[in-house]
């Protein structure tokens, strides 16, 4: 196992010019910001698969951060306003995302993609940014403006 890991490390250094000393640390919210920014770019270029995966991952990180800080999540608020269980609404919103990331459940199943799921995930994630009271940055402003633009269509 040690030799395999050492080989992977050497491969990363050779193939990508990376070393462990060059690795940077990021907060979970920073990871979510980067993923959402890329998700918005993918969305604008009609890459629904990438937009869904990136927005879904970011939304999950922010949802987990809300829960860790004892803050009600946007998905909880939406579910309550609709009179449904959070799990029901969450499963509906992340259906394609879950199908994409869980190939172990049904490896031969095809995945349906559309602009609606990444749109919902981006909007929910943006709302969770606000709920978490994460300090404003130009990147967060860009995400919030993008999420708001769906109301203007």
């Amino acid at each position: 196992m040690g030799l395999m890991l050492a080989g992977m490390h050497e491969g990363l250094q050779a193939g990508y010019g990376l070393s462990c000393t060059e690795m940077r640390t990021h907060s979970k919210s920073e990871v979510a910001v980067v993923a959402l920014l890329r998700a918005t770019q993918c969305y604008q270029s009609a890459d629904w698969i990438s937009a869904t995966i990136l927005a879904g991952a970011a939304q999950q990180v922010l949802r987990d951060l809300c829960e860790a800080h004892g803050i009600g999540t946007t998905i909880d608020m939406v579910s309550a306003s609709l009179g449904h269980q959070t799990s029901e609404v969450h499963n509906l919103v992340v259906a394609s995302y879950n199908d994409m990331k869980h190939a172990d459940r049904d490896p031969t199943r095809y995945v349906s993609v559309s602009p609606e799921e990444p749109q919902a995930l981006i909007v929910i994630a943006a709302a969770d940014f606000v709920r978490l009271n994460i300090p404003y940055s130009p990147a967060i402003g860009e995400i919030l403006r993008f999420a708001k633009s769906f109301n203007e269509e």
Side-chain angles (χ1 to χ4, degrees):
M1 180 65 116
L3 285 175
M4 183 175 77
L5 290 176
M8 286 174 54
H9 175 71
E10 289 170 11
L12 283 173
Q13 284 182 315
Y16 299 103
L18 299 175
S19 73
C20 288
T21 59
E22 294 174 1
M23 292 182 73
R24 295 187 181 124
T25 58
H26 300 278
S27 70
K28 303 286 181 166
S29 61
E30 289 171 334
V31 170
V33 168
V34 171
L36 276 176
L37 283 173
R38 184 61 60 138
T40 62
Q41 293 166 355
C42 293
Y43 188 93
Q44 290 169 328
S45 63
D47 178 357
W48 312 132
I49 293 171
S50 298
T52 300
I53 291 170
L54 290 163
Q59 186 273 328
Q60 186 61 54
V61 167
L62 294 167
R63 180 177 177 221
D64 291 346
L65 287 174
C66 283
E67 290 174 354
H69 289 93
I71 298 168
T73 66
T74 301
I75 201 80
D76 290 336
M77 182 187 72
V78 169
S79 301
S81 71
L82 294 173
H84 292 284
Q85 295 291 323
T86 299
S87 60
E88 291 176 71
V89 176
H90 186 261
N91 290 341
L92 178 66
V93 171
V94 299
S96 293
Y97 172 64
N98 280 336
D99 282 349
M100 289 179 204
K101 71 177 187 159
H102 291 298
D104 59 325
R105 293 185 186 159
D106 190 353
T108 60
R109 183 177 178 172
Y110 285 85
V111 178
S112 298
V113 294
S114 71
E116 285 81 15
E117 186 166 321
Q119 177 182 351
L121 291 167
I122 291 167
V123 169
I124 290 167
D128 280 340
F129 270 127
V130 174
R131 297 173 85 72
L132 284 162
N133 202 24
I134 294 172
Y136 182 86
S137 69
I140 290 177
E142 185 176 331
I143 293 164
L144 294 174
R145 279 188 299 281
F146 186 80
K148 185 181 175 202
S149 72
F150 293 120
N151 284 338
E152 298 166 358
E153 293 177 353

